[in-house]
């Protein structure tokens, strides 16, 4: 019993904690690279494209490891994909100014949809939480940059209802 408990602790630290630390370091490194490094080598459009390329690479690697039945590592890579997508959209719009507002909003909605699909596929509460938090990013960025006036109030309310309803249905279905 003591040996089994020790192995569980090793698995939690070795697989779960180290996995999350690695993804956080990847996100910090990417944020630094997009803002400060490679200023003379790449233009702003190339920096944005590299960010989105890294996100798609993480998604591909996550799916590959999932097929190899390395589910914990796969889950970390797919969660990292979502984080890198949101980071790339945010930095491309606010820091690099390579995306228009409407394109950034559309890509944020697409990233939220991908994260909801991944959450359902992997049965992961963590990815579900990331998708909910990331789903609020386009809403708040729109409110703070454009403001809510006229019919945009109804569109914003419909978006929030749709986002929360989708997450709620997914959560009830999975009994989270």
């Amino acid at each position: 019993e003591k040996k089994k408990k020790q192995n569980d602790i090793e698995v939690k630290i070795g697989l779960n904690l180290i996995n999350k630390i690695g993804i956080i370091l990847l996100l910090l490194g990417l944020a630094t690279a997009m803002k400060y490094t490679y200023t003379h080598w790449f233009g702003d459009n190339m920096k944005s494209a590299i960010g989105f390329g890294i996100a798609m690479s993480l998604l591909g690697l996550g799916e590959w490891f999932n097929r190899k039945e390395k589910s914990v590592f796969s889950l970390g890579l797919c969660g990292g994909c979502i984080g890198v997508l949101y980071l790339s959209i945010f930095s491309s719009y606010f820091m690099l100014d390579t995306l228009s507002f409407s394109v950034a909003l559309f890509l944020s909605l697409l990233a939220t949809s991908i994260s909801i699909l991944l959450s359902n596929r992997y049965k992961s509460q963590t990815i579900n939480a990331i998708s909910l938090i990331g789903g609020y990013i386009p809403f708040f960025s729109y409110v703070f940059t454009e403001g809510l006036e006229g019919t945009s109030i109804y569109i914003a309310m419909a978006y929030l209802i749709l986002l929360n309803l989708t997450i709620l249905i997914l959560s009830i279905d999975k009994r989270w």
Side-chain angles (χ1 to χ4, degrees):
E1 186 68 32
K2 186 177 179 181
K3 184 79 166 169
K4 183 179 178 184
K5 187 175 181 179
Q6 183 181 4
N7 286 341
D8 286 343
I9 291 171
E10 289 175 6
V11 167
K12 284 182 182 177
I13 292 172
L15 290 177
N16 200 5
L17 185 63
I18 301 296
N19 198 1
K20 289 179 182 173
I21 290 172
I23 294 299
I24 289 170
L25 289 175
L26 176 72
L27 290 173
L28 290 174
L30 184 64
T32 304
M34 291 182 98
K35 181 63 180 170
Y36 297 111
T37 58
Y38 309 117
T39 55
H40 300 292
W41 293 352
F42 301 127
D44 289 343
N45 289 328
M46 185 59 111
K47 290 178 191 177
S48 293
I50 288 172
F52 288 111
I54 289 173
M56 292 302 110
S57 298
L58 287 174
L59 182 61
L61 280 172
E63 286 297 314
W64 186 73
F65 277 110
N66 185 41
R67 291 193 179 135
K68 299 286 183 184
E69 298 181 9
K70 310 280 188 214
S71 60
V72 175
F73 191 60
S74 169
L75 184 64
L77 289 173
C78 288
C81 163
I82 299 304
V84 170
L85 271 176
Y86 285 125
L87 178 68
S88 297
I89 294 166
F90 177 82
S91 63
S92 294
Y93 177 69
F94 287 105
M95 295 187 312
L96 302 174
D97 200 29
T98 56
L99 295 178
S100 68
F101 183 76
S102 57
V103 172
L105 184 64
F106 173 75
L107 289 175
S108 295
L109 295 174
L110 185 64
T112 301
S113 301
I114 290 170
S115 64
I116 289 171
L117 291 172
L118 287 174
S119 172
N120 192 26
R121 176 176 166 79
Y122 291 108
K123 299 172 182 67
S124 171
Q125 294 176 358
T126 305
I127 295 178
N128 194 12
I130 290 171
S131 63
L132 184 60
I133 292 167
Y136 282 113
I137 291 173
F139 172 75
F140 285 116
S141 64
Y142 182 79
V143 167
F144 292 133
T145 57
E146 301 292 324
L148 290 177
E149 295 177 0
T151 59
S152 64
I153 294 171
Y154 302 114
I155 294 170
M157 287 176 63
Y159 170 74
L160 288 178
I161 289 171
L162 182 64
L163 175 66
N164 290 321
L165 189 62
T166 304
I167 299 294
L168 180 67
I169 290 170
L170 185 62
S171 297
I172 288 173
D173 183 47
K174 301 298 179 194
R175 296 183 186 235
W176 290 335

